[in-house]
Amino acid sequence: VGLIGCGGRGTGAACNMIEADQNVKVVAMADLFADKLPNAKKKIKDFCDKKFKAQSDEIFNPSTVKTFTGWDCCEQLLKEDVDLVIEATPPVFRTPHFAQIVEAGKHAFLEKPACVDITQAREIRELSKKAKEKGMCIVTGNQRRHSAAYQDVMKRIHDGEIGEILAAQCYWNGAYYVGGYTGWEDLGFDSTEYQIRKWGAFIWTSGDQIVEQHVHNLDVIMWALGDNRKPVEVRGWGNRSTDLPTPTYGDRFSNFEVDFDMGDGLRLQSYCQQDPKSSGEIGERLVGTKGIMYSNLYGQIYISDRKGNKLWVCDKEKAKECMSEEHRFLLDAIREGRHVNKINQLVNSTLLAIAGRMSAYSGKKFKFDWVLAKSQESFCPEKIELGKRMPWNGVPVPGKYKLV
């Protein structure tokens, strides 16, 4: 296994994979910044020593693992004798790195989201086709798909247990602000390095919270409604209500509310927020003619009637650690010679988030097909250099932000 992106999520994903299956060996690690590597090595080694002491050195040996840094770190790692790579860098780099992974023909686990804009979405769909042609196994980080609890309730929904779905809502409202940590201010807020290091606070690096985080909840709704279903129209609202100073804490919104017209009278309401000390809620809700489904990865999953009486409650034993199960699924497929490719599921859900963001930024209502066919939005610069300044446009203003 090779790890690309050695921040918190990358080291977490490596530990999740090791927890799922100890018959792996992490042999290479790559990150743009060399200072990320010592802490990542320590975290992975400490995890192995704690959970799998007898096998720890076989799974991960810090003294022999190869490390690569700088802009070509992904390319260099892919030259090594690795079967599988974990790609967990800031979202803007997911698509260009996947292009290199496909070229190298390596199996891959790609963190969510799939991309940050429509331009990357088109590219990663084409890359998915090439990965399929090469027989590569690709699993993505929309981990609820690998939760036994979610799988159970989805089967019930698809079998008609709540009847015809009439309305849907999803939420990721947090009492925090991702990217709100201090440090690196001496680099200057408009420096490329500052913005990559604090990627969660900037639009071009993260795609904003609706894309980077809320895509999990949108993905659950797409799973329930059918992955090939798409909105007819999109109308979004949002702003930056937090008083965390900009540009120190980036340029993104702190809340979004999006109304997706899914056709046939069905509407999906999407809500996400990151405002410190606000009320939190994470979950998904489907209203059907026979019942209501509510799901929360961190809470309870159940079906109730309209008066709140619970008709079915998920067995807690089924709520396994899906962040390990997604890796087990990938490793089993590779070893058994089964081709799996989950990219398009994540791309479809990411596209809803992208469209919602575009509508909220601009204040405009538009057809979803316009985004797919006409939009040229692109956040990733053709050339990125750490010593350069990154243009600063400020927080988007609805009514002024231009759709492209």
Side-chain angles (χ1 to χ4, degrees):
V1 176
L3 172 61
I4 304 168
C6 298
R9 183 76 290 270
T11 55
C15 292
N16 295 148
M17 181 174 284
I18 292 165
E19 187 166 38
D21 188 330
Q22 293 79 63
N23 191 21
V24 297
K25 186 176 183 68
V26 180
V27 298
M29 301 171 66
D31 198 281
L32 177 60
F33 302 117
D35 58 82
K36 293 282 189 180
L37 291 165
N39 188 51
K41 284 184 177 182
K42 183 179 185 304
K43 285 186 175 180
I44 297 171
K45 184 57 176 172
D46 287 350
F47 176 83
C48 291
D49 285 347
K50 181 179 179 180
K51 299 277 289 189
F52 310 106
K53 182 65 177 175
Q55 303 156 271
S56 182
D57 285 343
E58 283 298 311
I59 297 170
F60 184 76
N61 188 335
S63 65
T64 60
V65 66
K66 293 186 178 181
T67 57
F68 304 93
T69 60
W71 286 114
D72 67 344
C73 66
C74 177
E75 180 183 354
Q76 294 303 316
L77 180 143
L78 290 169
K79 292 179 181 178
E80 296 298 310
D81 184 19
V82 297
D83 305 296
L84 165 65
V85 295
I86 297 170
E87 206 291 339
T89 62
V92 70
F93 301 120
R94 191 93 64 244
T95 301
H97 282 170
F98 187 51
Q100 294 179 43
I101 292 167
V102 172
E103 180 66 24
K106 308 292 186 181
H107 303 297
F109 174 81
L110 305 180
E111 258 304 343
K112 54 76 196 170
C115 49
V116 297
D117 55 46
I118 183 62
T119 302
Q120 288 191 339
R122 294 185 184 116
E123 182 179 354
I124 206 165
R125 276 183 166 170
E126 291 304 311
L127 291 169
S128 176
K129 295 176 184 177
K130 293 180 181 179
K132 184 175 181 180
E133 291 170 0
K134 289 190 171 188
M136 295 165 56
C137 288
I138 313 294
V139 170
T140 53
N142 40 339
Q143 78 267 153
R144 286 159 176 79
R145 301 261 184 165
H146 298 275
S147 161
Y150 270 86
Q151 290 169 354
D152 191 341
V153 78
M154 283 297 161
K155 183 177 186 307
R156 292 171 182 274
I157 290 167
H158 294 153
D159 287 347
E161 197 160 321
I162 68 169
E164 181 185 358
I165 297 174
L166 303 176
Q169 298 92 38
C170 58
Y171 322 84
W172 193 310
N173 299 318
Y176 49 77
Y177 179 86
V178 172
Y181 47 85
T182 57
W184 308 103
E185 284 83 1
D186 58 319
L187 294 171
F189 70 85
D190 61 346
S191 77
T192 302
E193 182 173 349
Y194 179 83
Q195 294 186 20
I196 294 174
R197 286 187 179 275
K198 300 184 76 169
W199 63 267
F202 290 89
I203 295 166
W204 77 274
T205 47
S206 70
D208 212 316
Q209 59 164 307
I210 190 173
V211 173
E212 194 279 326
Q213 186 179 66
H214 189 44
V215 68
H216 279 302
N217 313 105
L218 291 167
D219 186 66
V220 171
I221 301 300
M222 290 291 283
W223 185 9
L225 299 182
D227 286 307
N228 293 323
R229 189 159 184 171
K230 61 183 181 179
V232 178
E233 288 187 323
V234 182
R235 176 65 171 98
W237 299 262
N239 58 63
R240 184 187 179 94
S241 57
T242 180
D243 62 358
L244 291 171
T246 182
T248 307
Y249 293 97
D251 57 353
R252 66 175 183 78
F253 277 9
S254 64
N255 61 87
F256 289 87
E257 307 80 38
V258 186
D259 178 14
F260 295 96
D261 181 350
M262 303 301 293
D264 297 325
L266 174 62
R267 307 294 275 256
L268 161 61
Q269 272 74 46
S270 155
Y271 306 93
C272 62
Q273 178 185 30
Q274 287 182 5
D275 284 312
K277 299 182 181 180
S278 59
S279 295
E281 180 178 10
I282 302 171
E284 304 84 28
R285 184 171 180 267
L286 295 164
V287 180
T289 53
K290 297 179 182 178
I292 298 171
M293 186 283 293
Y294 183 81
S295 55
N296 181 349
L297 182 63
Y298 308 102
Q300 199 173 61
I301 299 176
Y302 60 85
I303 293 173
S304 69
D305 61 23
R306 295 188 182 185
K307 293 182 179 180
N309 300 307
K310 292 179 180 176
L311 308 175
W312 171 83
V313 179
C314 180
D315 181 354
K316 288 185 178 180
E317 293 300 315
K318 290 198 171 186
K320 291 183 179 179
E321 181 48 73
C322 55
M323 292 180 75
S324 295
E325 291 302 309
E326 59 190 356
H327 293 284
R328 190 190 312 278
F329 175 81
L330 172 59
L331 291 165
D332 286 349
I334 294 170
R335 291 199 172 105
E336 293 166 9
R338 290 184 289 107
H339 176 260
V340 297
N341 186 331
K342 299 297 182 179
I343 295 177
N344 288 335
Q345 286 180 346
L346 183 58
V347 171
N348 289 344
S349 302
T350 304
L351 279 169
L352 259 70
I354 288 170
R357 180 194 67 212
M358 293 172 68
S359 180
Y361 282 179
S362 65
K364 302 293 185 182
K365 179 180 180 179
F366 48 73
K367 300 286 187 182
F368 186 73
D369 280 345
W370 174 85
V371 178
L372 300 181
K374 301 292 185 180
S375 176
Q376 299 301 312
E377 184 182 67
S378 179
F379 290 155
C380 187
E382 288 187 15
K383 188 175 183 180
I384 309 173
E385 298 180 74
L386 290 183
K388 300 293 184 180
R389 302 290 100 179
M390 184 62 66
W392 176 259
N393 297 318
V395 178
V397 178
K400 292 184 178 180
Y401 184 90
K402 301 297 182 183
L403 291 173
V404 293

